[in-house]
């Protein structure tokens, strides 16, 4: 059986999702695409039907499931439309621009009584993070005490403001920290370097674990994500972000990617294949709409702590039973 998928948004991530569906995912056919740039959509169409209206794509009988990779501000409304049409969707992060909007997506699923939305927090599928979680869950390092996260970009675009370092970048650390540790975050303190970059964000979980995260949007040397879990009897951390080491021109080492796509290419591929299989079986995988709400809600509260230079006690509300 082949799943017919529609892709909304064909920018950097949308184009990569489209490539993955066509080249590296079994049991799927791209039936429809939609992008605000009609010329780009036409160029990438191949045998897919081109839509100018994303809601029409979602409602189309030719489309069984949807990948949402349009601008962030559109995610919540399109995710809600997928729930209304009872269609599974893989929605790029963030789920919504605000926690209120994200909660509306959650409420739509709760009303329907089933999960249809997977949020694209792809790090849950990254081999390094998966192995770290396996080691932690197997008790190989003892009870976790600390989680150190590092999130460095080569350079942020000019329109990338201070709060966006939290709402667009740090949200990944919010989600992966919850997933790795299996516990909820209850407080946060933010320290900003002069000029607002980098940030050091320290959070505490309900079990007293400490999560430290450096968010450095203009580190210049490349895109570099790293994590280490410190347990009572050992540690587990990522190795260098490369599979080879090079000796050349009096140097020994490895390079860094320019952005996140090469670093997490395997994670995106595994995520897409897992999502397609989950649609076929009806068994959700990956980050849920509730997880998407939690990441956005915590990010909002961390932004408030950043602006007030205070400590935030994080509040999320009760988790609905369908996400238990």
């Amino acid at each position: 059986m082949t799943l017919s998928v529609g892709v909304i948004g064909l920018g950097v991530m949308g184009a990569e999702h489209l490539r993955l569906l066509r080249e590296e995912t079994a049991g799927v056919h791209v039936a429809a695409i939609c992008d605000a740039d009609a010329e780009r959509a036409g160029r990438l169409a191949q045998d897919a039907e081109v839509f100018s209206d994303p809601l029409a794509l979602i409602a189309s009988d030719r489309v069984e499931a949807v990948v949402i990779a349009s601008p962030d501000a559109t995610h919540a409304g399109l995710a809600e439309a997928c729930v209304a049409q009872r269609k599974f969707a893989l929605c790029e992060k963030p789920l919504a621009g605000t926690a209120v909007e994200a909660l509306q997506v959650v409420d739509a699923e709760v009303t329907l009584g089933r999960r249809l939305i997977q949020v694209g927090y792809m790090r849950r599928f990254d081999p390094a993070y998966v192995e770290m979680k396996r080691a932690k869950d197997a008790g190989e390092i003892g009870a976790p005490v600390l989680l150190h996260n590092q999130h460095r970009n080569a350079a942020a675009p000019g329109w990338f403001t201070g709060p966006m370092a939290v709402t667009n970048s740090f949200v990944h650390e919010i989600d992966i920290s919850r997933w790795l540790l299996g516990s909820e975050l209850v407080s946060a303190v933010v320290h900003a370097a002069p000029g607002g970059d980098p940030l050091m964000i320290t959070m505490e979980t309900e079990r007293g674990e400490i999560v430290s995260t450096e968010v450095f949007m203009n580190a210049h040397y490349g895109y570099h994500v790293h994590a280490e879990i410190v347990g009572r009897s050992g540690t587990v951390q990522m190795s260098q972000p490369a599979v080879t080491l090079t000796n050349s021109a009096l140097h020994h080492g490895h390079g860094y990617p320019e952005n996140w796509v090469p670093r997490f290419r395997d994670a995106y591929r595994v995520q897409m294949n897992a999502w397609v299989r989950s649609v076929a079986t009806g068994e959700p995988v990956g980050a849920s709409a509730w997880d998407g709400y939690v990441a956005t809600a915590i990010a909002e509260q961390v932004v408030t702590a950043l602006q007030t230079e205070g400590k935030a006690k994080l509040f999320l509300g009760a988790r609905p039973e369908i996400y238990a």
Side-chain angles (χ1 to χ4, degrees):
M1 181 178 176
T2 300
L3 180 71
S4 295
V5 173
V7 179
I8 300 174
L10 301 171
V12 173
M13 279 318 309
E16 177 64 6
H17 286 316
L18 184 64
R19 186 194 69 79
L20 288 170
L21 286 165
R22 285 174 168 164
E23 299 178 11
E24 300 193 48
T25 309
V28 65
H29 170 251
V30 178
I33 60 174
C34 179
D35 191 83
D37 186 334
E39 181 182 353
R40 177 165 53 192
R43 189 168 64 249
L44 296 174
Q46 296 184 15
D47 63 342
E49 183 177 356
V50 177
F51 285 80
S52 59
D53 180 358
L55 296 178
L57 181 150
I58 292 169
S60 172
D61 292 338
R62 293 190 59 192
V63 173
E64 297 174 291
V66 180
V67 173
I68 301 171
S70 48
D72 293 356
T74 67
H75 289 182
L78 296 177
E80 283 192 74
C82 289
V83 175
Q85 292 287 334
R86 291 170 168 74
K87 293 184 178 180
F88 286 92
L90 174 61
C91 179
E92 262 302 324
K93 67 87 190 166
L95 175 60
T98 68
V100 170
E101 292 174 326
L103 200 54
Q104 290 171 351
V105 180
V106 169
D107 290 342
E109 285 194 326
V110 170
T111 299
L112 183 63
R114 62 183 301 203
R115 288 174 49 185
L116 293 173
I117 306 300
Q118 177 180 328
V119 184
Y121 284 111
M122 76 295 179
R123 294 189 188 185
R124 295 182 179 216
F125 299 91
D126 178 67
Y129 280 112
V130 170
E131 173 57 20
M132 288 176 65
K133 182 171 175 60
R134 186 209 61 77
K136 188 273 294 184
D137 289 347
E140 294 178 7
I141 61 170
V145 180
L146 302 170
L147 169 59
H148 298 296
N149 296 312
Q150 174 183 293
H151 187 152
R152 296 174 181 167
N153 286 66
W159 48 264
F160 209 90
T161 64
M164 291 183 72
V166 174
T167 58
N168 283 59
S169 293
F170 176 63
V171 285
H172 277 294
E173 274 70 33
I174 295 171
D175 182 74
I176 203 64
S177 296
R178 294 177 61 239
W179 182 76
L180 281 173
L181 296 173
S183 52
E184 295 297 339
L185 302 164
V186 297
S187 67
V189 179
V190 187
H191 298 282
D197 185 45
L199 301 176
M200 176 56 70
I201 303 168
T202 305
M203 299 183 291
E204 186 175 355
T205 74
E206 60 193 345
R207 293 201 292 257
E209 299 141 331
I210 303 300
V211 179
S212 70
T213 303
E214 172 201 325
V215 182
F216 196 179
M217 300 309 301
N218 295 280
H220 297 295
Y221 68 89
Y223 181 83
H224 187 188
V225 164
H226 185 78
E228 178 183 20
I229 304 174
V230 178
R232 290 291 182 186
S233 58
T235 73
V236 58
Q237 65 180 302
M238 293 179 181
S239 59
Q240 65 267 12
V243 294
T244 60
L245 293 173
T246 302
N247 297 308
S248 177
L250 305 179
H251 287 84
H252 168 76
H254 59 81
Y256 288 94
E258 187 176 357
N259 60 42
W260 70 96
V261 177
R263 166 61 183 84
F264 288 109
R265 182 160 281 126
D266 281 347
Y268 283 116
R269 175 182 52 79
V270 176
Q271 174 187 248
M272 184 63 75
N273 279 268
W275 175 68
V276 169
R277 290 194 299 270
S278 77
V279 174
T281 62
E283 295 294 328
V285 297
S288 67
W290 174 257
D291 295 318
Y293 157 72
V294 169
T296 298
I298 290 178
E300 283 186 355
Q301 294 170 67
V302 168
V303 167
T304 299
L306 171 63
Q307 294 169 340
T308 61
E309 298 182 353
K311 181 175 183 178
K313 290 186 176 180
L314 304 175
F315 175 79
L316 299 172
R319 184 201 309 253
E321 289 185 9
I322 68 169
Y323 303 108

